[in-house]
Amino acid sequence: MPHRASVAVSIVLIAASARAQGNYRSSALGGRSALMGNTGIALGTDGAAPLLNPATVVRVESTLALSVSFLTLDILHASSWYAANADITRVSGNAIPSTFCLFFDLPRITHPEDKESRAGLEKLATCFGTSELQSFDWVGQGFQTGTPGTISTSSVRWGWQRFVIGPSYAVNVTHALALGASLHGAFTNFSSFASVGSIATDGTASNVFQDGASGSDFGLTTTFGATLNLGHVAIGASVQSPDISIYGHGNLSNYTTTNGATNVYFGQGGFHGREPTRLGLGLAYDWSRGTVEIDGQLALADGEAVQLDTTGTQLTAPATITNAHVVRNTRFQPTVNVGVGAELFVRPSLSILAGFATDFSAVDSLIPTSVAPAQMNRLLGSFGIGSHGDAGTVIIGAQAYYAWGQMQGYASAPVIAPVNVQGTGVLFVLAGATNFKSIQRAVDEMRRFVTRPPPKH
């Protein structure tokens, strides 16, 4: 069994090396954490540890941890998207990478007389992963409504991604108390495009609306954490600083024709998409048969969380050209999310994981001048199984969700107005954790299998 686990984990890792805005849990972190209701502030042990609470890094026993959300299926329904009774239902699938971490043991800073004490243990981790990911596309749609009637067309696409990379450090100050810190570079990418048009079949009106925006931002964020273990009870706390934007750039263009009047704008300038201060608190109970944990996170408000600040040229037909300054801004409101999860061992080599979490949007409101194209809230439920051996751990499971909220719709071009949306989906998660010795042993076994001479007849 240990050798089989070694080979299985190694194959997973080798194969994986060949997947909105204001939703802090729009991408699953880690494997165990994602299947335990996104918990881990108190007792994290996988690739989510440096992001949730770097103090838990010192508890990670593996050398390498990988989580791959290898398939997601999503169904989204919007009511009266472009016109009355013009509903849409979108079914999509994708593959989304999550986190990859390397963990390194450092020399003890103290050597307590009690050999069982964890005091003085310290560890370093290097991680990268997608912490937020949202996308939507509804391209090439058309509707005909009314008498004598109006023909309307609509193509909308937008995306939001946040990718982080950086080191984390953790140390057991005493046997019970651990402290940790992370420094991450945060890359944020945003894009949106809408092309909407309508014409009355009697020729009395014609409207066209085209709008495109994009932005990329690089910044730095730090996270500090602590854990306190009191027997079977563990308490964890973390604080993530607001992003410091180092460099950001964005573009914006807009073309509108309404009843013969045309307005055009194109410009470029600064862009930032930062996260505000976030506070986390976790409480866990750990015993020989498993772990139960409940976490809560509070994200503070930020009046200029996402901002696209451009300067460019404004054309108003027939021939009026002026310099213009256009700012689009999204405010983040205070947001509280909770998660609860459990891992129970059926036997030493097999565990069952389950959890529940919320993912409420921090987007304050949707207005025409907002950068955010959606305000979505989600309820998450997860279930999985874990296989554990001397060589490492393999976890497989699924995280399902129900979503509701609003998205920017186009009831009558060029009018932008929120429409109600609902959605369901499921994310399949595969995760592994192992150490370099196990990988080497698996490679050696494969080499011996491939190179061994054929049996003599």
Side-chain angles (χ1 to χ4, degrees):
M1 174 64 185
H3 296 313
R4 290 199 299 271
S6 174
V7 173
V9 173
S10 299
I11 291 174
V12 169
L13 299 177
I14 293 170
S17 64
R19 176 171 160 130
Q21 191 169 344
N23 286 82
Y24 305 121
R25 299 181 175 186
S26 56
S27 182
L29 294 178
R32 180 177 180 271
S33 174
L35 298 178
M36 288 181 59
N38 293 329
T39 60
I41 295 177
L43 289 177
T45 59
D46 60 11
L51 299 173
L52 295 177
N53 183 355
T56 61
V57 167
V58 78
R59 302 185 65 255
V60 179
E61 297 180 356
S62 58
T63 304
L64 185 152
L66 169 72
S67 172
V68 178
S69 306
F70 59 91
L71 177 64
T72 177
L73 297 175
D74 304 280
I75 301 175
L76 185 69
H77 179 80
S79 302
S80 300
W81 170 257
Y82 189 73
N85 301 318
D87 296 2
I88 64 170
T89 299
R90 170 184 174 270
V91 181
S92 64
N94 208 339
I96 314 171
S98 182
T99 54
F100 179 86
C101 293
L102 295 174
F103 299 92
F104 305 95
D105 291 318
L106 299 177
R108 274 184 180 263
I109 58 176
T110 61
H111 295 276
E113 295 182 359
D114 182 3
K115 301 302 181 182
E116 300 297 324
S117 174
R118 300 176 61 87
L121 289 176
E122 55 177 348
K123 204 156 202 172
L124 183 69
T126 299
C127 296
F128 65 84
T130 301
S131 61
E132 295 178 34
L133 183 62
Q134 294 175 296
S135 63
F136 175 82
D137 64 84
W138 188 246
V139 176
Q141 305 305 310
F143 309 94
Q144 183 174 353
T145 60
T147 301
T150 298
I151 295 176
S152 304
T153 63
S154 174
S155 291
V156 177
R157 175 180 291 156
W158 55 262
W160 172 270
Q161 182 183 38
R162 180 178 171 88
F163 180 86
V164 296
I165 182 172
S168 302
Y169 170 80
V171 59
N172 266 104
V173 180
T174 67
H175 178 70
L177 177 65
L179 301 176
S182 297
L183 175 63
H184 287 133
F187 299 85
T188 302
N189 296 302
F190 158 77
S191 64
S192 70
F193 171 75
S195 177
V196 182
S198 67
I199 184 169
T201 54
D202 62 2
T204 57
S206 176
N207 299 316
V208 175
F209 174 80
Q210 291 185 350
D211 186 270
S214 64
S216 296
D217 179 32
F218 171 72
L220 295 175
T221 182
T222 57
T223 305
F224 300 94
T227 60
L228 182 63
N229 290 276
L230 306 173
H232 292 294
V233 177
I235 303 171
S238 64
V239 55
Q240 176 183 305
S241 70
D243 293 354
I244 300 175
S245 182
I246 304 299
Y247 173 79
H249 184 268
N251 298 277
L252 174 64
S253 65
N254 181 277
Y255 178 96
T256 304
T257 297
T258 305
N259 299 324
T262 299
N263 287 277
V264 179
Y265 172 82
F266 61 92
Q268 59 182 335
F271 172 81
H272 67 242
R274 63 174 181 247
E275 287 192 354
T277 300
R278 282 197 287 169
L279 308 174
L281 183 65
L283 177 65
Y285 185 81
D286 185 34
W287 77 106
S288 60
R289 293 293 304 276
T291 303
V292 177
E293 180 168 346
I294 181 170
D295 290 354
Q297 284 190 329
L298 167 64
L300 302 184
D302 189 333
E304 298 178 348
V306 186
Q307 186 177 79
L308 179 59
D309 188 339
T310 66
T311 300
T313 301
Q314 179 82 45
L315 167 65
T316 302
T320 303
I321 300 178
T322 59
N323 294 327
H325 181 214
V326 177
V327 178
R328 292 188 178 179
N329 181 70
T330 293
R331 179 184 186 274
F332 280 2
Q333 62 186 342
T335 308
V336 175
N337 281 296
V338 297
V340 58
E343 181 179 24
L344 302 177
F345 281 85
V346 179
R347 54 177 184 263
S349 62
L350 181 66
S351 66
I352 297 176
L353 304 95
F356 170 82
T358 64
D359 181 25
F360 297 128
S361 174
V363 174
D364 187 34
S365 61
L366 296 182
I367 57 177
T369 58
S370 173
V371 182
Q375 183 188 49
M376 297 292 293
N377 303 303
R378 299 193 305 160
L379 299 179
L380 310 169
S382 54
F383 180 83
I385 58 174
S387 176
H388 311 269
D390 295 336
T393 298
V394 176
I395 294 176
I396 187 169
Q399 187 184 79
Y401 73 86
Y402 169 74
W404 74 97
Q406 293 183 322
M407 291 177 57
Q408 296 283 36
Y410 305 87
S412 177
V415 176
I416 304 174
V419 297
N420 295 324
V421 294
Q422 302 85 36
T424 57
V426 60
L427 179 72
F428 297 96
V429 178
L430 174 65
T434 187
N435 53 65
F436 293 131
K437 291 182 179 179
S438 298
I439 296 175
Q440 183 61 52
R441 184 166 63 245
V443 172
D444 291 341
E445 289 180 356
M446 288 183 178
R447 185 184 296 115
R448 286 195 296 269
F449 177 79
V450 172
T451 59
R452 70 182 180 183
K456 295 181 180 180
H457 298 286

